[in-house]
Amino acid sequence: MENEPQTANRPVEGNGVDTAWRVVSGVSIVTFPFMLLVGFASHPDILSVSVVADPATWILDWRGNTWFHIGHLMVMFAVPFIIFACFKLSSFLHGRGAWYGFVGAVLGVFGAFLLAVDKGALTFVLTAFKDMSDAQISAISPALDAIFNRDGWLWITWGYVALPVGFILITIGLLREGVIPKWQGYCIILGLALLLNPDIEIISTAGALLMCVGFVPIGLRVFSGRLAPNAVSFKS
């Protein structure tokens, strides 16, 4: 049975900066999985399990579809919250999970940066083309094909997969040190693993939902000051 010691129930006191950091990081941990959930769920053909394998189908997805771009914009704007959450969660790890926290934070921040780059290329750039006529779209089709295939140096944006991998490592560290209960850790790890799919939005949406289930209780406890880096909260 998992028991929560008394230290975890006592709000942590600190100066103004500590309080501000606690509030920002708590809000970030709660907010970012919901932003990802909204971003994935707003995708067209959300129930489809087919992989978009050709530029023509991809163009149909975003052309004239404001919600497609809003969803991608939501994911991009989640990046600052992801980075705050990454640093805060890794700050809990000082013992058996310390290296998991360090490596996870490095990968998580790097992946978050490339996620912003990826969504910038697939949101801001494409919004310039979304209302073009058929003739105009046809004229720039070679350029659109290049974006779809991630030609040139766009292949670097695939590095955003480091983000879920980094958070998986941090979560393993949190479990090793007993900072979170097992059920939360398993929800988070499974949710993050589901994000590692070939852009099948229904799978990504399910993953984001599991992340909400796992991360929100952590964020609320951080926000309220009931979870601090020097207080182990759960032990098996």
Side-chain angles (χ1 to χ4, degrees):
M1 176 179 289
E2 296 169 343
N3 297 315
E4 187 172 357
Q6 190 174 4
T7 55
N9 291 321
R10 188 184 309 122
V12 176
E13 298 180 359
N15 58 36
V17 174
D18 291 338
T19 300
W21 173 236
R22 171 173 57 78
V23 170
V24 168
S25 56
V27 169
S28 296
I29 295 169
V30 170
T31 300
F32 90 83
F34 277 110
M35 295 182 74
L36 296 182
L37 178 62
V38 172
F40 296 139
S42 64
H43 198 276
D45 300 323
I46 181 63
L47 297 179
S48 174
V49 293
S50 300
V51 178
V52 177
D54 63 278
T57 303
W58 172 66
I59 291 172
L60 288 175
D61 279 346
W62 57 258
R63 190 179 173 197
N65 190 332
T66 300
W67 279 107
F68 176 94
H69 301 288
I70 290 175
H72 280 224
L73 195 66
M74 185 72 71
V75 172
M76 189 183 72
F77 282 151
V79 168
F81 297 102
I82 292 171
I83 293 174
F84 286 137
C86 189
F87 283 132
K88 185 61 175 180
L89 293 171
S90 62
S91 73
F92 294 120
L93 303 175
H94 304 286
R96 296 195 307 161
W99 276 107
Y100 288 92
F102 174 75
V103 176
V106 170
L107 290 176
V109 172
F110 177 73
F113 167 73
L114 288 180
L115 177 65
V117 173
D118 176 77
K119 297 311 174 188
L122 294 178
T123 297
F124 290 131
V125 173
L126 297 182
T127 57
F129 310 139
K130 70 183 183 69
D131 296 321
M132 285 184 172
S133 66
D134 291 344
Q136 290 173 317
I137 291 292
S138 179
I140 65 170
S141 60
L144 296 176
D145 290 353
I147 293 175
F148 175 79
N149 294 314
R150 300 178 191 257
D151 291 343
W153 288 12
L154 285 176
W155 63 267
I156 295 175
T157 59
W158 285 117
Y160 70 76
V161 299
L163 170 58
V165 173
F167 268 91
I168 287 173
L169 290 176
I170 292 173
T171 305
I172 292 173
L174 294 173
L175 288 171
R176 284 175 62 88
E177 294 198 14
V179 178
I180 59 175
K182 290 181 179 180
W183 70 266
Q184 279 181 251
Y186 295 156
C187 282
I188 293 170
I189 290 172
L190 179 57
L192 290 164
L194 289 177
L195 299 188
L196 298 171
N197 72 81
D199 285 335
I200 300 175
E201 301 304 328
I202 187 62
I203 297 178
S204 297
T205 301
L209 186 59
L210 284 171
M211 289 168 60
C212 289
V213 173
F215 277 123
V216 168
I218 300 173
L220 293 176
R221 293 175 65 221
V222 171
F223 179 85
S224 65
R226 298 182 184 278
L227 183 60
N230 61 349
V232 174
S233 302
F234 292 88
K235 290 184 179 180
S236 300

